[in-house]
Amino acid sequence: MTEERPERPAEVDGTAHLFSALGKQLKVLRENASMSQRELGVAAHCGEDLVSAMERGVRTPQPDFLVRADELLAAGGVLKAALDDVRAAKARARTRHPEWYRNYANLEAEAIELHDYSNQVVHGLLQTEDYARAIFSQRRPLLDEETIAKRVADRLARQQMFERWPAPTCSFILEEAALLRPIGGRAVHKDQLLQMLRIGRLRTVELQIMPTDREEHPNVDGVFTLLTAKARQQVAYTEVQGYPRLITDAEEVRLITARYGILRSQALNARETLSLIEKTLGER
């Protein structure tokens, strides 16, 4: 038996190799300038984790970051010289998704609103690198190491939606069981909880936990995502056992939206959710 899920874009168009090479160059230039990842992040107006991810080739550097980093690291135009290639690679990544995923990927890339309900694991947009790697490593049938690395890189690249401006309005509802499940072990779980705190505190994001002890639940049919792209109607996306479905029928979307509204009213609010995550961290 072989896994039938198609390859992600970085697996078929070579962009992963470009960003890996660029990340290595960035690391050498930073070290030659005697700067830490944190120092470069502060100077370039981004986080230390983002610098680390770009150096490992798992996050795509934005053109404006390359311009700033080139000047901060006295790179003499080395990083700026890659701007056209980076823009072209990013464009290919948006258009080279497999057919089954392409419509959703395009909508997510230009979403002005995204609302998600997850019940088994933390949503991909919220995952740390190690958590995502654990997810793909545990998938059955087993994937080879190269495929796992490529899947992780593509998943993390999607998280750049939080960095663009204007940022999309996002909300996530997560079942408490998924919050408590220590995927990848205690250390990975701890970092994942910290990641959820960081993202949950963004002004454009609301994170809510659905407690397990709730006696009523309006949605036992599985996970879903609601998306609204610029100048388009809201759509819904579901994926079960590798079978995706992009729902555009207005009535079906309306029903899912209604369920989501009830879920939000029954889940912990954003402040209560952050407090629960902090409490969970303290117990780890």
Side-chain angles (χ1 to χ4, degrees), residues 99-192:
E99 185 62 37
W100 72 270
Y101 186 76
R102 187 174 300 145
N103 287 342
Y104 174 79
N106 290 339
L107 288 171
E108 184 181 88
E110 62 180 29
I112 58 175
E113 285 190 31
L114 183 148
H115 308 287
D116 179 83
Y117 166 72
S118 298
N119 59 11
Q120 296 297 325
V121 297
V122 175
H123 189 274
L125 288 172
L126 306 176
Q127 291 178 8
T128 64
E129 179 181 352
D130 288 338
Y131 187 97
R133 182 175 292 106
I135 292 290
F136 288 121
S137 296
Q138 295 168 12
R139 185 185 292 272
R140 294 297 188 274
L142 294 172
L143 304 175
D144 61 72
E145 292 300 320
E146 182 179 2
T147 299
I148 291 171
K150 291 174 179 176
R151 297 275 174 92
V152 170
D154 278 320
R155 174 157 294 183
L156 296 182
R158 290 167 52 205
Q159 296 176 4
Q160 292 181 89
M161 70 181 300
F162 295 125
E163 299 160 19
R164 71 175 193 253
W165 193 262
T169 298
C170 299
S171 69
F172 299 88
I173 299 175
L174 179 70
E175 290 290 339
E176 184 178 10
L179 171 72
L180 299 178
R181 184 170 292 121
I183 296 290
R186 292 177 64 88
V188 172
H189 187 216
K190 179 179 179 180
D191 287 343
Q192 181 58 59

